[in-house]
Amino acid sequence: MAVKKTTVFPDYVFETQIEVPTELNRQIQESLKINKESGITTETVYGWFTNKQFPCEGVIGNIANLLATNFVSNVVQNFDLQVPRDINLLNPWIISTNPNHSFPTTLEHQRWYNAGIYLQTTNKGSHLKLDNYTSKIYASQNTQETSHFIKPKQFKVIYWPSHIPWSLTPNMSMVETTMLICSFRADAQK
């Protein structure tokens, strides 16, 4: 599986695509429905999201573990970690944006990297938007972008630093854009 590395603000953002067999895709769509109706979701004006404190239902947990395995195997090797680290998967949750709605800007505190996978989308679905709110924004006028957009595609996986604020742009398709989001912490080994 090819992994594309992009430098953003000037951090590394990684994108890849996973191949999902038809049967697994059907199980994912069933799991999304079960999660939405499970009682661990919050309905909002833009769509819904699951509570981070509860495990996701069905095969969604397996997808989160796949993201973690891929992160450790293909992304962590890009960093020259001087101290051995335990990479921990934290708080997988699902977010969904209805047509003509967007997901507000959010930030994961005390994390190293975030991961997201588009479980349901179209080419007109919500784009992942990364923003640069640093104090150097005044110096980057016309020389460096202050926002970075990643196009949606079903089963596209994105890894980005947790200190970068992120959101989802308006969903211009006729179906919900649904993503599994999780984060990672890199603790020093004892």
Side-chain angles (χ1 to χ4, degrees), residues 36 42-49 95-104 120-122 124-127 168-179:
K36 185 175 181 179
T42 301
E43 294 286 333
T44 67
V45 294
Y46 59 79
W48 58 273
F49 63 89
I95 59 173
S96 188
T97 55
N98 292 328
N100 299 315
H101 289 81
S102 59
F103 182 79
Q120 178 177 289
T121 192
T122 69
K124 294 184 178 183
S126 297
H127 290 53
L168 294 177
T169 63
N171 179 2
M172 302 311 290
S173 71
M174 298 304 292
V175 299
E176 290 179 347
T177 293
T178 306
M179 292 185 76

Side-chain angles (χ1 to χ4, degrees), residues 131-169:
D131 284 306
N132 182 7
Y133 294 150
T134 66
S135 60
K136 292 184 179 183
I137 213 165
Y138 68 89
S140 66
Q141 292 179 348
N142 300 321
T143 60
Q144 181 179 348
E145 294 293 325
T146 57
S147 293
H148 181 75
F149 297 90
I150 299 174
K151 294 180 181 181
K153 185 174 182 184
Q154 191 169 23
F155 304 121
K156 178 187 271 190
V157 178
I158 307 111
Y159 299 99
W160 69 96
S162 294
H163 68 271
I164 297 177
W166 63 275
S167 61
L168 294 177
T169 63

Side-chain angles (χ1 to χ4, degrees), residues 31-68:
S31 291
L32 289 176
K33 184 178 179 184
I34 291 168
N35 277 283
K36 185 175 181 179
E37 298 169 354
S38 68
I40 65 167
T41 59
T42 301
E43 294 286 333
T44 67
V45 294
Y46 59 79
W48 58 273
F49 63 89
T50 59
N51 186 327
K52 295 179 188 180
Q53 305 307 316
F54 292 93
C56 294
E57 299 287 333
V59 300
I60 303 299
N62 295 340
I63 301 295
N65 288 332
L66 176 66
L67 293 180

Side-chain angles (χ1 to χ4, degrees), residues 98-112:
N98 292 328
N100 299 315
H101 289 81
S102 59
F103 182 79
T105 301
T106 191
L107 187 66
E108 291 291 333
H109 299 283
Q110 299 177 344
R111 303 290 189 258
W112 181 34

